[in-house]
Amino acid sequence: MRVVIADDAVLLREGLVRLVEENGYTVVAAVGDGPSLVSAIVEHKPDVSIVDVRMPPSHTDEGLRAAVEARSRVPGTPILVLSQYVEVSYADDLLADRLGAVGYLLKDRVSLVAEFLDGLRRVAGGGTVLDPEVVSQLLVRRRRDDPLRALTPREREVLGLMAEGLSNNAIARKMVVTDGAVEKHVRNIFTKLALHQDEEQHRRVMAVLAYLQG
């Protein structure tokens, strides 16, 4: 897997390079500003990019804006945002193309390297992996015309856990129910959101995007 890393903090950037390479991936570029991120993605077309939100010159949202621009130039390029901050507006923009392959994790809430690497693989594979805090802040922005009104509270709970990147088996363990119960909820979610028979991962991504953009 070929990876681009964008973070203006040199120690963190080099630490991510070492972590990624020690786990068998190839870092094709490690950069410290938004324009360099866009250029690296356009040039290398990596399998996934790890992006910080706040980079030079203003240290506000340059990283996310650059990620959005990169997705416009290389549609669907997988982006995993790794930051201390939640910037909701540009996170919405990242999700708006409905192509999936987007993750947003908070640095101080990633407690296990294995969880981070799993999220990286999921995003590279076209999935969506979001920290629960990111999910909650995105939902605050929901429009009144909520396409999820037909879902039961239990189905919404399942869909929220899907947004965090959990598999059906992991959702079952977290909710203390059977795998079959979760599978039934997932089928109902697909039906109510009019996500017709398709590749399973694609339908999960589309359901999550509907949840976040509803």
Side-chain angles (χ1 to χ4, degrees):
M1 189 159 70
R2 300 163 65 253
V3 182
V4 166
I5 295 173
D7 197 308
D8 66 306
V10 175
L11 291 179
L12 180 57
R13 186 171 69 238
E14 293 305 312
L16 283 171
V17 169
R18 175 172 291 187
L19 173 65
V20 167
E21 290 184 336
E22 285 179 349
N23 283 274
Y25 307 133
T26 301
V27 175
V28 294
V31 301
D33 60 76
S36 297
L37 169 63
V38 175
S39 297
I41 290 176
V42 170
E43 177 183 354
H44 297 288
K45 295 180 175 56
D47 298 300
V48 64
S49 298
I50 303 169
V51 180
D52 188 21
V53 169
R54 300 188 176 183
M55 292 196 289
S58 69
H59 294 278
T60 54
D61 53 17
E62 284 84 357
L64 266 180
R65 285 192 281 119
V68 171
E69 181 181 348
R71 293 264 291 194
S72 71
R73 295 197 190 185
V74 185
T77 186
I79 300 287
L80 174 60
V81 178
L82 181 64
S83 180
Q84 291 177 292
Y85 311 98
V86 181
E87 296 289 347
V88 177
S89 60
Y90 285 104
D92 266 348
D93 289 343
L94 270 180
L95 293 161
D97 60 17
R98 303 182 71 82
L99 295 175
V102 173
Y104 200 135
L105 300 177
L106 300 180
K107 290 177 180 176
D108 59 355
R109 289 164 62 96
V110 177
S111 57
L112 296 174
V113 169
E115 289 180 358
F116 168 72
L117 293 173
D118 180 63
L120 191 66
R121 285 189 292 269
R122 286 173 180 267
V123 172
T128 303
V129 179
L130 303 170
D131 184 276
E133 179 62 24
V134 177
V135 172
S136 67
Q137 293 200 35
L138 285 169
L139 294 183
V140 168
R141 295 167 56 89
R142 250 191 202 154
R143 300 186 302 270
R144 291 182 180 178
D145 183 20
D146 186 351
L148 308 180
R149 285 176 296 178
L151 300 186
T152 67
R154 200 65 160 167
E155 288 163 355
R156 285 175 179 258
E157 183 180 359
V158 169
L159 189 47
L161 294 172
M162 287 168 62
E164 295 175 27
L166 273 64
S167 65
N168 286 359
N169 182 259
I171 292 172
R173 291 198 305 271
K174 192 174 185 70
M175 295 177 64
V176 196
V177 298
T178 65
D179 290 356
V182 172
E183 289 169 4
K184 181 179 178 181
H185 288 314
V186 171
R187 285 196 301 271
N188 289 340
I189 290 166
F190 290 159
T191 299
K192 291 178 180 180
L193 295 182
L195 299 175
H196 304 296
Q197 191 66 37
D198 198 348
E199 195 269 321
E200 178 76 11
Q201 176 67 17
H202 177 69
R203 287 203 295 175
R204 289 181 80 89
V205 170
M206 295 301 291
V208 167
L209 294 177
Y211 177 70
L212 296 172
Q213 297 177 330

